[in-house]
């Protein structure tokens, strides 16, 4: 019995993915729930598994192609054998408007399925867009979106075309950016262009937290299986306390309105094989130290194994990133839009400071808060960091909620 393998639901507001890599070839035997193809979306990579054991059919789409939710990727035949010939993908009967669009498409500028659909809706010809950014010059959905956003007055890939005329040095290697990396680049640029972004700094003495952690980490780890007492839970707790005191930093702008939240969904930036991702601790304000630590460990493991789901990455209201694990002493983190702020942690370094009229050596960390100045005032931002500094330097205040 033949079963179709389709593009699954990809999560909130995501309808298109790119075929990143075929993991199984036509005729190859696959087990039930074994991954056969890897899709790449704007946020994360997704593996599509076989719904039953059997022989894989022909690939109906190629690596680099864009596909929409519900599109057929291949089939799987229970007990089947390797196909003798590779049949072409079945063509459905299309309305005249589709045929008119296809008539305008040259062999070298063929749009991908998602791009073709949008071109039909917008009544745009392939010749208007020109050379696409997809594989072999194919027009992608992003090309159409950019063309429409630019008023349709010029090809959306003018800059790409200009870059392609560059004469590469024989010692150089040109590699196309992945969809995820292109999306990261676009979102970071959008954040800079949309938000009135500003960064303020402070420093925190880590002595008290380090002493408390050293004293109780063994008992904590023993009692809470799957959790290890680290510094991040202290900063999450301190940040939640500060967000409750200064709610504008946990809010977002929506048109001419400000949306204030009575909850905290904390994004925690972690490094994965395809770049930085920000999984979300939902209702972090209701979590214990152990809950926070175990969830962060789980996210880090998922990111390492490329197993994060789209739901893991959506709905954040504020984010924390820790460049200190890579040795960063100070940085200006970029806001994860549409959030209004992000806290940057950094490396802990022994430094001389003045304490009670004497110069002493203490383990110090620089903190950075990047915030959207459209909604957050400078006084709020500075007070926010001071609040976090105070709770880290006096962790008993976190336990007593004072």
């Amino acid at each position: 019995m033949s079963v179709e393998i389709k593009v699954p639901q990809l999560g909130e507001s995501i309808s298109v993915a790119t075929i990143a890599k075929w993991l199984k070839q036509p005729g190859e035997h696959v087990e039930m729930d074994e991954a056969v193809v890897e899709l790449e979306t704007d946020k994360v990579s997704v593996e599509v598994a076989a719904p039953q054991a059997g022989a894989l059919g022909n690939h109906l789409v190629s690596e680099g192609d864009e596909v929409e939710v519900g599109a057929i990727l291949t089939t799987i035949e229970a007990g089947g054998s390797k196909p003798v010939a590779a049949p072409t993908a079945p063509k459905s009967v299309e309305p005249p408007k589709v045929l008119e669009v296809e008539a305008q498409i040259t062999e070298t500028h063929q749009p991908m399925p998602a791009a073709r659909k949008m071109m039909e809706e917008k009544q745009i010809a392939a010749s208007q867009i020109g050379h696409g950014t997809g594989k072999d010059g194919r027009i992608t959905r992003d090309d159409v979106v950019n063309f429409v956003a630019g008023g349709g007055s010029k090809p959306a890939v003018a800059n790409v075309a200009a870059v392609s005329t560059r004469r590469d040095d024989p010692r150089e290697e040109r590699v196309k950016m992945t969809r995820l990396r292109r999306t990261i680049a676009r979102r970071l640029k959008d954040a800079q262009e949309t938000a009135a972004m500003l960064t303020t700094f402070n420093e925190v003495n880590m002595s008290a937290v380090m002493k408390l952690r050293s004293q109780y980490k063994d008992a904590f780890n023993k009692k809470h299986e799957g959790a290890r007492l680290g510094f991040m839970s202290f900063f999450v707790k301190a940040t939640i306390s500060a967000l409750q005191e200064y709610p504008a930093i946990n809010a977002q702008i929506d048109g001419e309105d400000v949306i204030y939240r009575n909850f905290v969904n904390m994004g925690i930036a972690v490094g994965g094989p395809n770049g930085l991702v920000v999984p979300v601790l939902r209702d972090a304000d209701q979590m214990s130290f152990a809950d926070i630590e175990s969830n962060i460990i789980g996210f880090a493991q998922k990111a390492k194994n490329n197993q994060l789901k789209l739901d893991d990455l959506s709905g954040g209201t504020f984010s924390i990133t820790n460049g200190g694990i890579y040795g960063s002493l100070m940085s200006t983190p970029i806001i994860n839009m549409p959030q209004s702020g992000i806290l940057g942690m950094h490396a802990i370094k022994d430094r001389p400071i003045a304490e009670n009229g004497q110069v002493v050596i203490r383990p110090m960390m620089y903190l950075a808060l990047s915030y959207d100045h459209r909604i957050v005032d400078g006084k709020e931002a500075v007070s926010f960091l001071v609040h976090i500094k105070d709770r880290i330097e006096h962790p008993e205040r976190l336990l007593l909620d004072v």
Side-chain angles (χ1 to χ4, degrees):
M1 177 181 176
S2 180
V3 175
E4 295 175 339
I5 299 180
K6 300 181 179 181
V7 178
Q9 291 294 324
L10 299 171
E12 179 183 1
S13 74
I14 299 179
S15 59
V16 180
T18 300
I19 304 297
K21 184 179 181 181
W22 279 102
L23 306 176
K24 297 293 181 179
Q25 299 305 313
E28 190 172 352
H29 180 80
V30 294
E31 298 294 336
M32 182 176 178
D33 295 328
E34 186 176 5
V36 297
V37 62
E38 181 180 305
L39 306 181
E40 194 173 75
T41 73
D42 287 351
K43 295 183 178 180
V44 71
S45 295
V46 177
E47 290 185 344
V48 180
Q52 67 177 26
L56 196 69
N58 294 286
H59 299 166
L60 302 183
V61 286
S62 303
E63 292 182 0
D65 283 356
E66 285 189 344
V67 289
E68 294 184 318
V69 171
I72 302 174
L73 302 172
T74 184
T75 59
I76 187 167
E77 185 74 30
S81 57
K82 185 174 181 179
V84 177
T88 58
K91 293 184 178 180
S92 58
V93 178
E94 299 171 305
K97 186 165 64 174
V98 176
L99 299 178
E100 291 172 7
V101 173
E102 288 189 341
Q104 301 169 359
I105 299 172
T106 64
E107 184 177 352
T108 56
H109 293 157
Q110 180 180 1
M112 296 176 176
R116 182 185 296 116
K117 181 179 179 180
M118 180 172 288
M119 289 169 65
E120 296 163 14
E121 296 172 350
K122 303 293 184 180
Q123 291 291 285
I124 299 172
S127 58
Q128 292 177 265
I129 297 179
H131 191 82
T133 59
K135 185 178 180 181
D136 300 325
R138 297 183 185 182
I139 296 172
T140 68
R141 185 175 182 273
D142 286 345
D143 294 331
V144 183
V145 170
N146 292 334
F147 180 79
V148 173
S153 58
K154 60 182 180 179
V157 292
N159 291 336
V160 176
V163 173
S164 67
T165 63
R166 177 184 182 276
R167 294 183 62 182
D168 294 346
D169 188 290
R171 295 166 295 178
E172 297 174 331
E173 179 183 6
R174 183 186 291 270
V175 179
K176 186 175 178 63
M177 292 175 69
T178 64
R179 182 185 182 91
L180 181 60
R181 177 52 57 184
R182 295 199 309 268
T183 300
I184 290 172
R186 186 181 71 248
R187 286 174 62 87
L188 293 178
K189 187 62 178 174
D190 287 347
Q192 289 184 320
E193 293 177 350
T194 302
M197 195 158 58
L198 191 62
T199 305
T200 187
F201 301 91
N202 211 317
E203 62 178 353
V204 57
N205 185 339
M206 296 291 293
S207 298
V209 164
M210 293 177 71
K211 180 180 179 181
L212 189 65
R213 177 175 178 266
S214 178
Q215 184 175 356
Y216 291 104
K217 67 177 182 180
D218 290 340
F220 181 92
N221 299 346
K222 183 177 180 180
K223 180 175 181 179
H224 303 288
E225 185 177 353
R228 296 190 302 272
L229 185 59
F231 296 125
M232 185 60 78
S233 56
F234 287 95
F235 278 95
V236 170
K237 283 287 191 180
T239 300
I240 290 169
S241 176
L243 290 172
Q244 292 170 339
E245 188 75 17
Y246 304 98
I249 305 177
N250 193 45
Q252 79 172 68
I253 293 177
D254 184 25
E256 296 183 352
D257 301 324
V258 177
I259 299 175
Y260 290 94
R261 302 179 174 98
N262 297 316
F263 61 92
V264 177
N265 287 346
M266 188 69 73
I268 305 294
V270 295
N274 296 319
L276 192 71
V277 289
V278 189
V280 176
L281 294 172
R282 296 184 181 278
D283 296 315
D285 51 312
Q286 305 298 318
M287 289 185 176
S288 66
F289 278 80
D291 292 334
I292 293 170
E293 291 291 353
S294 61
N295 275 278
I296 291 175
I297 291 173
F299 283 147
Q301 191 63 39
K302 283 185 176 181
K304 180 180 179 180
N305 297 328
N306 203 24
Q307 295 176 337
L308 284 171
K309 305 298 182 183
L310 292 170
D311 287 344
D312 295 330
L313 305 173
S314 62
T317 63
F318 186 87
S319 295
I320 299 178
T321 182
N322 184 8
I325 61 176
Y326 303 111
S328 173
L329 186 63
M330 184 179 290
S331 66
T332 56
I334 297 179
I335 297 171
N336 185 19
M337 296 295 287
Q339 297 171 23
S340 297
I342 181 171
L343 178 71
M345 298 167 54
H346 298 91
I348 302 172
K349 298 290 184 180
D350 285 342
R351 293 202 300 272
I353 65 169
E355 192 175 276
N356 299 323
Q358 294 184 332
V359 177
V360 295
I361 304 296
R362 294 289 185 262
M364 305 297 292
M365 177 194 289
Y366 287 117
L367 297 179
L369 172 69
S370 291
Y371 60 98
D372 190 344
H373 212 345
R374 296 177 301 165
I375 185 174
V376 180
D377 294 330
K379 179 181 178 181
E380 288 179 293
V382 172
S383 300
F384 177 88
L385 275 188
V386 170
H387 187 105
I388 293 177
K389 170 184 171 71
D390 180 70
R391 268 55 180 181
I392 295 297
E393 292 184 346
H394 304 92
E396 64 274 10
R397 299 194 66 175
L398 289 175
L399 304 177
L400 297 175
D401 193 25
V402 295

